Amino acid sequence: MLKAIVLGGSRGIGKAISNSLKSIEIDVLTTSKKDVDTSNLSSVKKFVNSHNQTDILILNTGGPEPKPFSTITESDWEKYHNQLFLGFCIILQKIKINENGYIFLISSNMIKEPNAKLIISSAYRAAFAEVFKVLSKEYAQKNISCINIAPGPINTDRTKELIDNIEEFEKTLPMKRLGEPEEIGSFVKAIVENKIKYLSGVTINFDGANSNYVF
Amino acid sequence: MLKAIVLGGSRGIGKAISNSLKSIEIDVLTTSKKDVDTSNLSSVKKFVNSHNQTDILILNTGGPEPKPFSTITESDWEKYHNQLFLGFCIILQKIKINENGYIFLISSNMIKEPNAKLIISSAYRAAFAEVFKVLSKEYAQKNISCINIAPGPINTDRTKELIDNIEEFEKTLPMKRLGEPEEIGSFVKAIVENKIKYLSGVTINFDGANSNYVF
Amino acid sequence: MLKAIVLGGSRGIGKAISNSLKSIEIDVLTTSKKDVDTSNLSSVKKFVNSHNQTDILILNTGGPEPKPFSTITESDWEKYHNQLFLGFCIILQKIKINENGYIFLISSNMIKEPNAKLIISSAYRAAFAEVFKVLSKEYAQKNISCINIAPGPINTDRTKELIDNIEEFEKTLPMKRLGEPEEIGSFVKAIVENKIKYLSGVTINFDGANSNYVF
Amino acid sequence: MLKAIVLGGSRGIGKAISNSLKSIEIDVLTTSKKDVDTSNLSSVKKFVNSHNQTDILILNTGGPEPKPFSTITESDWEKYHNQLFLGFCIILQKIKINENGYIFLISSNMIKEPNAKLIISSAYRAAFAEVFKVLSKEYAQKNISCINIAPGPINTDRTKELIDNIEEFEKTLPMKRLGEPEEIGSFVKAIVENKIKYLSGVTINFDGANSNYVF
């Protein structure tokens, strides 16, 4: 039975991925912030000590509160450097992905079109996208696929916190609605279930035609 | 029963997509060059006259022979302008995609990293990618998803024609193999089968971690 | 004395480049649509017969009227295929650029972030950007630099035709103003004057921080 | 008299920029690692205390030694997080750029096409490119231009350290040579000298047609 580890699996997109993987009889370890907090490197190291191999890894975590650049403090930078970048690096250094496995990164479409309010998120998620791209070529040698899913506005608690009037906001979107976490869950499940391996080293905007950059 | 039209469905990637859609009980019209030749606008117009609506459309066609820029003739440009660009534009102008439908474009990862030998293909496929991106926002209003799949080296007759020594070539690839057409077929099927709609307006390299651009 | 050919040099950006090159004692041939009309291949062929070498080439031409996709006719596509793509290809096949020369392409920032109203322009300018990128590597062998300048909203007659209320529009721009053609003219002049050669194979948005894509 | 601060100005690209700005009678403060070490936040804070405004700012620093991902330590990450990202953020928070000023960032073409050996550099330079892009829109309101120059292989001491056989390497490059630091110096000077302001929010590869991504 294939084994999966889902980070940030207690709600939102992580939870949806966890549920959809369970539906195809994968042995899913769903973690919440209590189990492993990627903003806390001690927590990360403790976690990887007891969980050092898997077939499927879902790198997923929440993002920072909106904050204008001028008000971001050194400790803000440090915290999210850990949470969005360094924690994931340590995890990839320490958790062995089995041959023919998968790593899914849940990032944001803001790495291509950065947002002033979420500048911390754009910066560190982009940094990790670089690492993930480079590593996809190494993992490929063991037939491990690395897929960076870059969601746009998804119907999660976090989106509701970030946006005042969701209904008004939805009218501005090409599909007139937020994406559902289950769509991303189904997508991940479908890749795994169909043993699609050649999809790797790729950043996939998942944003209902909302972004403007051509590629 | 959902209806699909697959262009260039007699071999390679088109055939694999056709087969995988049939496996989920979709009514698939698989066309070959005899049915509709996108390099010939009369053929295109005749085709769209008798097939003017569908739920799922697969825009797929072969590419040109490798040719250095200095030797490309006006008639080469015209032919592939029709085949890779204008034929598809007419099809999108004339075939109605039903609500909740899908359009998959099979392009090439060479639109992001163009290749000197296949410069015609890079140019016109990139041109159509622009059109497709713009239209994805309009189609979104009818909940139609537009997905541009940009394959790298896939195990098709065409790849075998383009590359002298496939075995040597495969050693240079991150996954040490070509992609299989069936992986793309499964991918398309999985999107449709799982009713994933929020994946739209996106270009998805499908190239086994072969490309170098970060996104 | 270095020789330059400026296409579309009778007004706007082309005129500004022409003027700035003249100011550094370059022998500039400024052409208008009467001299060479890139939408008319006969006109292009006639022109390249009598002008078959230069040190500096400015590939510049106007764009199409705004038109929604559904209303674009086959003859619209053909006309702008010539004007924005094929005419330039023939010119590059026939005009010899002298060693240590320069080719500047004036395209549009809409090749990265396409615009629904100017879809023809986005498509064919992107197609030519692919050709130009590929050729930059060949021209490099003769120390010829290929620079794609992709302007945003510039203070030209064309912009005034496209936009109803310029003053209102300017308030939406990061710099609260349109760019001046002379800024692009000075930029081209500065590259040539300072013999900057290693800047090649690059697309340079020139849009006053207006675009949103990160790179 | 305009004032400039050049970071990392004691050698290579920084030195060339410093020299070229001096040649147009700008009051240049050229700093070396002794004056301000961006890998050391105390050093950065001390520096910005005594230098808190300028017209022109050159954000420039060396990069890390090549290191495979698996061997990178937490202290490596922390050091270069400071040097390539956080130090620059603090500088932008604390140094006021005067109206009509310029900020030039010297990054690397590896932010678009990351390199396995220099993965730290790709990651943190990309992170800062996101910040710089976002801020370019804010600085635009004060007519300050933000220009990200992304060099490829330049003839500096650092390149000689990174590459074993420079002569062999040069043969693989489109221009058959490294770029000269003076070309970048002249480029920066030319922008300032010609008061080109509308070039902002842009990443400019400066790599002799070496990169492969189309834009």
Side-chain angles (χ1 to χ4, degrees):
Chain A
M1 201 176 186
L2 291 179
K3 194 177 150 184
I5 297 173
V6 179
L7 302 181
S10 61
R11 59 179 210 159
I13 296 171
K15 187 176 181 181
I17 294 173
S18 175
N19 287 342
S20 70
L21 288 177
K22 281 175 189 164
S23 78
I24 51 168
E25 303 206 349
I26 284 170
D27 177 18
V28 183
L29 176 67
T30 307
T31 71
S32 74
K33 210 173 168 177
K34 283 185 299 179
D35 306 302
V36 51
D37 174 356
T38 54
S39 76
N40 178 333
L41 298 188
S42 307
S43 164
V44 170
K45 286 170 200 167
K46 202 173 149 199
F47 180 78
V48 297
N49 263 345
S50 45
H51 302 89
N52 56 14
Q53 64 86 12
T54 189
D55 299 289
I56 300 164
L57 176 63
I58 312 293
L59 295 170
N60 173 55
T61 181
E65 292 305 292
K67 232 179 169 182
F69 178 73
S70 62
T71 68
I72 300 173
T73 65
E74 222 176 298
S75 70
D76 291 331
W77 291 117
E78 296 290 1
K79 176 180 174 188
Y80 291 105
H81 177 233
N82 288 341
Q83 180 165 333
L84 299 170
F85 181 79
L86 193 45
F88 286 175
C89 288
I90 291 172
I91 285 168
L92 290 188
Q93 284 179 328
K94 298 296 186 189
I95 297 186
K96 183 184 169 246
I97 312 298
N98 297 329
E99 270 194 45
N100 308 311
Y102 290 92
I103 311 175
F104 291 89
L105 168 66
I106 310 303
S107 63
S108 164
N109 69 348
M110 283 175 206
I111 61 178
K112 291 195 188 177
E113 300 177 25
N115 180 298
K117 285 187 197 158
L118 296 169
I119 195 167
I120 300 176
S121 177
S122 291
Y124 291 130
R125 291 191 194 277
F128 193 72
E130 301 271 335
V131 168
F132 200 57
K133 175 72 188 182
V134 164
L135 295 183
S136 71
K137 291 180 183 275
E138 298 179 15
Y139 281 115
Q141 295 168 33
K142 294 171 67 188
N143 203 34
I144 294 162
S145 301
C146 295
I147 299 170
N148 179 354
I149 298 175
I154 304 294
N155 184 17
T156 61
D157 294 347
R158 175 162 165 80
T159 300
K160 286 171 202 153
E161 287 157 23
L162 285 174
I163 293 164
D164 282 341
N165 189 331
I166 293 277
E167 276 184 40
E168 280 307 307
F169 176 66
E170 289 190 313
K171 289 180 193 160
T172 69
L173 298 174
M175 288 196 171
K176 310 302 175 202
R177 65 169 179 99
L178 301 174
E180 291 301 322
E182 289 71 24
E183 291 177 276
I184 298 180
S186 295
F187 183 74
V188 169
K189 183 202 70 172
I191 301 297
V192 172
E193 192 176 24
N194 288 281
K195 297 190 172 60
I196 295 165
K197 298 301 311 179
Y198 217 61
L199 185 72
S200 188
V202 62
T203 296
I204 301 177
N205 275 20
F206 205 106
D207 66 359
N210 196 35
S211 55
N212 293 312
Y213 184 63
V214 62
F215 292 140
Chain B
M1 199 178 187
L2 290 179
K3 194 176 151 184
I5 297 173
V6 179
L7 302 181
S10 60
R11 58 179 210 158
I13 297 170
K15 187 176 180 180
I17 294 173
S18 174
N19 287 341
S20 72
L21 289 177
K22 282 175 190 165
S23 78
I24 52 169
E25 303 206 348
I26 284 170
D27 177 19
V28 183
L29 175 68
T30 307
T31 71
S32 74
K33 209 172 167 176
K34 281 186 301 180
D35 306 303
V36 52
D37 175 357
T38 54
S39 75
N40 178 332
L41 298 187
S42 306
S43 165
V44 170
K45 287 171 199 166
K46 202 172 150 200
F47 180 78
V48 296
N49 262 345
S50 45
H51 302 89
N52 56 13
Q53 65 86 12
T54 188
D55 299 289
I56 300 164
L57 176 64
I58 312 294
L59 295 169
N60 172 55
T61 180
E65 293 304 293
K67 233 180 169 181
F69 178 73
S70 63
T71 69
I72 299 172
T73 65
E74 221 176 297
S75 69
D76 290 332
W77 291 118
E78 296 291 1
K79 177 180 174 189
Y80 290 105
H81 177 233
N82 287 342
Q83 181 165 333
L84 299 169
F85 181 80
L86 194 45
F88 285 175
C89 287
I90 292 172
I91 286 167
L92 290 188
Q93 285 180 328
K94 298 296 185 189
I95 296 185
K96 180 183 171 247
I97 312 298
N98 296 330
E99 269 193 47
N100 308 312
Y102 290 93
I103 311 175
F104 291 90
L105 168 67
I106 311 303
S107 63
S108 165
N109 69 348
M110 284 177 205
I111 61 178
K112 290 195 189 175
E113 299 176 26
N115 180 297
K117 285 188 195 158
L118 296 170
I119 195 167
I120 300 176
S121 176
S122 291
Y124 291 130
R125 290 192 195 278
F128 193 72
E130 301 270 336
V131 169
F132 200 57
K133 176 71 189 182
V134 165
L135 295 183
S136 71
K137 291 180 183 274
E138 299 180 15
Y139 281 114
Q141 295 168 34
K142 293 171 66 188
N143 204 32
I144 294 162
S145 301
C146 296
I147 299 169
N148 179 355
I149 298 175
I154 304 295
N155 185 18
T156 61
D157 294 348
R158 175 164 165 77
T159 300
K160 287 171 201 154
E161 287 156 24
L162 285 174
I163 293 165
D164 282 341
N165 189 330
I166 293 276
E167 276 184 38
E168 280 307 307
F169 176 66
E170 288 190 312
K171 289 179 193 161
T172 69
L173 298 173
M175 288 197 170
K176 310 303 176 199
R177 65 169 180 98
L178 301 174
E180 291 301 322
E182 288 72 23
E183 290 177 277
I184 298 179
S186 295
F187 182 75
V188 169
K189 182 202 71 172
I191 301 296
V192 172
E193 193 176 23
N194 288 282
K195 297 191 171 61
I196 295 164
K197 298 301 310 179
Y198 217 61
L199 186 72
S200 189
V202 63
T203 297
I204 302 177
N205 275 19
F206 206 105
D207 67 358
N210 195 37
S211 54
N212 293 312
Y213 184 63
V214 64
F215 292 141
Chain C
M1 199 177 187
L2 291 179
K3 194 176 151 184
I5 297 174
V6 179
L7 302 181
S10 60
R11 58 179 211 160
I13 297 170
K15 188 176 181 181
I17 294 173
S18 174
N19 287 342
S20 71
L21 288 177
K22 282 175 190 164
S23 78
I24 52 169
E25 303 206 349
I26 284 171
D27 177 18
V28 183
L29 175 68
T30 306
T31 71
S32 74
K33 209 171 167 178
K34 282 185 300 179
D35 306 302
V36 52
D37 175 356
T38 54
S39 76
N40 178 333
L41 298 188
S42 306
S43 164
V44 170
K45 287 171 200 166
K46 202 174 150 200
F47 179 78
V48 295
N49 261 345
S50 46
H51 302 88
N52 56 14
Q53 64 85 12
T54 188
D55 298 290
I56 300 164
L57 176 63
I58 312 294
L59 295 170
N60 173 54
T61 180
E65 292 305 292
K67 231 179 171 181
F69 178 73
S70 62
T71 68
I72 300 172
T73 65
E74 221 176 298
S75 70
D76 291 331
W77 290 118
E78 297 290 359
K79 176 180 174 189
Y80 291 105
H81 176 233
N82 287 341
Q83 180 164 334
L84 298 169
F85 181 80
L86 193 45
F88 285 175
C89 288
I90 291 171
I91 285 167
L92 289 188
Q93 285 180 328
K94 299 295 185 191
I95 297 186
K96 183 183 170 247
I97 311 299
N98 297 330
E99 269 192 46
N100 306 314
Y102 290 93
I103 311 175
F104 291 91
L105 168 66
I106 310 304
S107 63
S108 166
N109 69 348
M110 284 177 206
I111 61 177
K112 290 195 188 176
E113 299 177 26
N115 180 298
K117 284 188 196 158
L118 295 169
I119 194 166
I120 300 176
S121 177
S122 291
Y124 291 130
R125 291 191 194 277
F128 193 72
E130 301 270 336
V131 168
F132 199 57
K133 176 70 190 182
V134 165
L135 296 182
S136 71
K137 291 179 183 274
E138 299 179 15
Y139 281 115
Q141 295 168 34
K142 294 171 68 188
N143 204 32
I144 295 162
S145 301
C146 295
I147 299 169
N148 179 354
I149 299 175
I154 303 295
N155 185 16
T156 61
D157 294 347
R158 175 163 166 77
T159 300
K160 286 172 202 153
E161 287 157 23
L162 285 174
I163 293 165
D164 282 342
N165 188 329
I166 292 277
E167 276 184 39
E168 280 306 307
F169 177 66
E170 288 189 313
K171 288 180 194 162
T172 70
L173 298 174
M175 288 196 170
K176 310 300 175 203
R177 66 169 179 97
L178 301 174
E180 291 301 323
E182 288 71 25
E183 290 177 278
I184 298 180
S186 296
F187 183 74
V188 168
K189 183 202 70 171
I191 301 296
V192 172
E193 191 176 26
N194 287 282
K195 297 191 172 60
I196 294 165
K197 300 300 309 179
Y198 217 61
L199 185 72
S200 188
V202 63
T203 297
I204 302 177
N205 274 21
F206 205 105
D207 66 359
N210 195 35
S211 55
N212 293 312
Y213 185 62
V214 63
F215 292 141
Chain D
M1 199 175 187
L2 290 179
K3 193 177 151 185
I5 297 174
V6 180
L7 302 182
S10 61
R11 59 179 210 161
I13 297 170
K15 188 176 181 181
I17 294 172
S18 174
N19 287 341
S20 72
L21 289 177
K22 283 175 189 164
S23 78
I24 51 169
E25 304 206 347
I26 284 170
D27 177 18
V28 183
L29 175 67
T30 306
T31 71
S32 74
K33 209 172 167 176
K34 282 185 300 180
D35 306 302
V36 52
D37 175 357
T38 54
S39 75
N40 179 332
L41 298 187
S42 307
S43 164
V44 170
K45 287 171 200 166
K46 202 174 149 199
F47 180 78
V48 297
N49 263 344
S50 46
H51 303 89
N52 57 14
Q53 64 87 9
T54 188
D55 298 289
I56 299 165
L57 176 63
I58 312 292
L59 294 170
N60 173 55
T61 180
E65 292 304 293
K67 232 180 170 182
F69 178 72
S70 62
T71 68
I72 300 172
T73 64
E74 222 176 298
S75 71
D76 291 331
W77 291 118
E78 297 291 0
K79 177 179 174 188
Y80 291 104
H81 177 233
N82 289 340
Q83 181 164 332
L84 299 169
F85 181 80
L86 194 44
F88 286 176
C89 288
I90 292 172
I91 286 167
L92 290 188
Q93 284 180 328
K94 298 295 185 189
I95 297 186
K96 182 184 171 244
I97 312 299
N98 296 329
E99 269 196 45
N100 307 313
Y102 290 92
I103 311 174
F104 291 90
L105 168 67
I106 310 303
S107 63
S108 165
N109 69 350
M110 282 176 208
I111 61 177
K112 290 195 188 176
E113 299 177 24
N115 181 297
K117 285 186 197 159
L118 296 169
I119 195 167
I120 300 176
S121 176
S122 292
Y124 290 130
R125 292 192 193 276
F128 193 72
E130 302 270 336
V131 168
F132 199 57
K133 175 72 190 182
V134 165
L135 295 183
S136 70
K137 291 180 183 274
E138 298 179 15
Y139 282 115
Q141 296 168 33
K142 293 170 67 188
N143 204 32
I144 294 163
S145 301
C146 296
I147 299 170
N148 178 354
I149 298 176
I154 304 295
N155 184 17
T156 60
D157 293 348
R158 175 162 165 78
T159 300
K160 286 171 201 153
E161 287 156 23
L162 285 175
I163 293 166
D164 283 339
N165 188 331
I166 293 276
E167 278 185 36
E168 280 307 306
F169 177 66
E170 289 189 313
K171 289 179 193 160
T172 70
L173 298 174
M175 287 196 170
K176 310 301 176 202
R177 66 168 179 98
L178 301 174
E180 292 301 322
E182 288 72 23
E183 291 178 276
I184 298 180
S186 296
F187 182 74
V188 169
K189 183 202 69 172
I191 301 297
V192 172
E193 192 177 24
N194 287 282
K195 297 190 173 61
I196 295 165
K197 298 301 310 178
Y198 217 62
L199 186 72
S200 189
V202 63
T203 297
I204 302 177
N205 274 20
F206 206 106
D207 67 358
N210 195 35
S211 55
N212 293 312
Y213 185 62
V214 62
F215 293 142

